[in-house]
Amino acid sequence: MLGNFSYSNPTKLYFGEDSLNFLNEELPKYGKNVLLVYGGGSIKSTGLYDNIVKILKENGKDVFEDAGVMPNPTVEKLYEGSKRAKDNNVDLILAVGGGSVCDYAKAVSVSAYCEEDPWDKYYLRMEDVDNKIIPVGCVLTMVGTGSEMNGGSVITNHATKLKIGHVFGENVFPKFSILNPVLTYTVPQYQMVAGFFDIMSHILEQYFSNEDDNTSDYIMEGLLKSLIHSSRIAVKNPTDYEARSNIMWTATWALNTLVAKGKSTDWMVHMIGQSIGAYTDATHGMTLSAISMAYYRFIMPYGFQKFKRYAINVWNVNPQGKTDEEVALEGLDLMEAYMREIGLVMNINDLGATEEMVDGIAKGSFILEGGYKVLTQDEIVHILKNSMINNK
Ligand code: NZQ
Ligand code: ZN
């Protein structure tokens, strides 16, 4: 273990098929005015909207709506929602949707009473919140980001081609989140598998860093095995409750701050993926899958022992009679085969990225220093081009 740390997570979770009933326990804790935040309409077609409005009314709430939160929520939408929350003196923001809706709700919660431009303050200057924060609760309908139990909030600014995440502190974490795996059954297959890879990527970003003996790494190997097992079942049968519920629980633990404790982390796949997203508006998980193999093959020589351990402990590679390099490479080959098997995008061209965008995407990728190799901008260009060439 490295360093000293403290650990607590303030989000209360309600998990399982009956978990929506627990809204009745949470709602009385907040004032009358509720801002119901949701996306492009999936919650209306599934009937969830009607159920939630009914529960809100039964609890005597005045409901204000903020609909149309797009995947990869934009800064313009944030300005609009912040004004609505303040004008209506909102006591609770109830986010019903996927990571985009939850992230957006957190952004509104810190921006409504912010006296400066929240994009400048929180996303460009990365400052802490020093104004009133509106509490947020989530009803999750799509699995992957971990937004239901963390302080992450990613906003896209198309004008400046920047997609930036601010990881806020515990005061911005959702107060509660309702996790009902059945609500995720209707997620389209493309979004579903993108979410699965988002989970995998969150784990790998925290796993591939440093070589100290660390409890977190053992936890992550277990999470990865559960995810690989259940995702193979879920792609064939999306309504398999056991698989979908295990994946939902894995997603939460992959990014609720626990496994990052006591260790350094990488996050370069996300930094490059977010920049791809800023240029293409592609689905988050697919930006990660498209770049991952090119990235991991590039950094493997710098973190050799960990890649060998990954191959053996996660992908069950038998090391007998093989060199360390052969073992490590076999692990990456198995990862790639799995990614193709579940239907992930493996090439940034397929997301709409072009040769002309490559320099801009590299420039927009924030370079972090926790991984096995601190990348230069030229190396990011090289990785992006490799994703185009190799991953057909
Ligand atoms: O908008 P609706 O109509 O609801 O449709 C959504 C959306 O089109 C649909 N969907 C969600 N639940 C559904 C459903 N369709 C049918 N049935 C359901 N039950 O799925 C589409 C994608 O939803 P979205 O919320 O965009 O997906 P996701 O959960 O992957 O969130 C992506 C956003 O989260 C950020 C990403 O950058 C991206 O902006 N991230 C947040 C993180 C965090 N808070 O820590 C970390 C992540 O790495 C990530 O960066
Ligand atoms: Zn992610």
Side-chain angles (χ1 to χ4, degrees), residues 144-146 154 197-199 201-202 205 255 267 270 274 284-285 288:
T145 64
V154 184
F197 192 75
D198 194 18
I199 305 168
S201 180
H202 294 159
E205 299 273 30
L255 196 54
W267 291 108
H270 270 68
Q274 277 175 205
H284 171 65
L288 309 174

Side-chain angles (χ1 to χ4, degrees), residues 23-199:
L23 254 188
N24 291 308
E25 275 189 21
E26 287 295 329
L27 291 175
K29 297 179 187 168
Y30 303 93
K32 216 170 157 45
N33 296 341
V34 176
L35 186 67
L36 177 60
V37 175
Y38 57 96
S42 73
I43 71 161
K44 289 210 166 153
S45 52
T46 59
L48 180 59
Y49 171 87
D50 290 337
N51 288 343
I52 287 187
V53 169
K54 186 165 169 277
I55 297 172
L56 286 166
K57 297 277 179 208
E58 283 167 359
N59 281 273
K61 302 297 181 188
D62 287 338
V63 183
F64 302 91
E65 294 204 15
D66 185 1
V69 179
M70 59 294 284
N72 311 319
T74 63
V75 68
E76 290 79 14
K77 180 71 184 161
L78 171 61
Y79 297 145
E80 180 198 312
S82 304
K83 185 172 181 321
R84 186 163 307 169
K86 190 177 178 191
D87 288 351
N88 293 298
N89 199 14
V90 161
D91 299 302
L92 172 72
I93 301 174
L94 187 62
V96 185
S100 293
V101 172
C102 297
D103 276 21
Y104 169 80
K106 286 180 242 176
V108 169
S109 82
V110 297
S111 301
Y113 294 95
C114 178
E115 283 174 4
E116 303 166 63
D117 182 332
W119 170 257
D120 289 351
K121 181 178 170 70
Y122 299 129
Y123 294 92
L124 292 181
R125 301 203 305 271
M126 286 290 166
E127 287 176 17
D128 291 335
V129 194
D130 50 15
N131 50 255
K132 178 177 163 184
I133 301 168
I134 304 170
V136 171
C138 299
V139 178
L140 196 67
T141 65
M142 143 111 201
V143 163
T145 64
S147 189
E148 65 275 15
M149 203 184 188
N150 70 32
S153 173
V154 184
I155 296 294
T156 299
N157 186 328
H158 287 297
T160 57
K161 292 217 180 321
L162 288 172
K163 181 177 182 184
I164 302 178
H166 186 129
V167 181
F168 290 98
E170 282 178 32
N171 49 356
V172 183
F173 281 40
K175 300 291 173 221
F176 63 90
S177 283
I178 289 178
L179 308 182
N180 178 352
V182 176
L183 296 181
T184 70
Y185 286 175
T186 51
V187 173
Q189 183 99 1
Y190 183 88
Q191 299 290 344
M192 179 185 79
V193 295
F196 294 171
F197 192 75
D198 194 18
I199 305 168

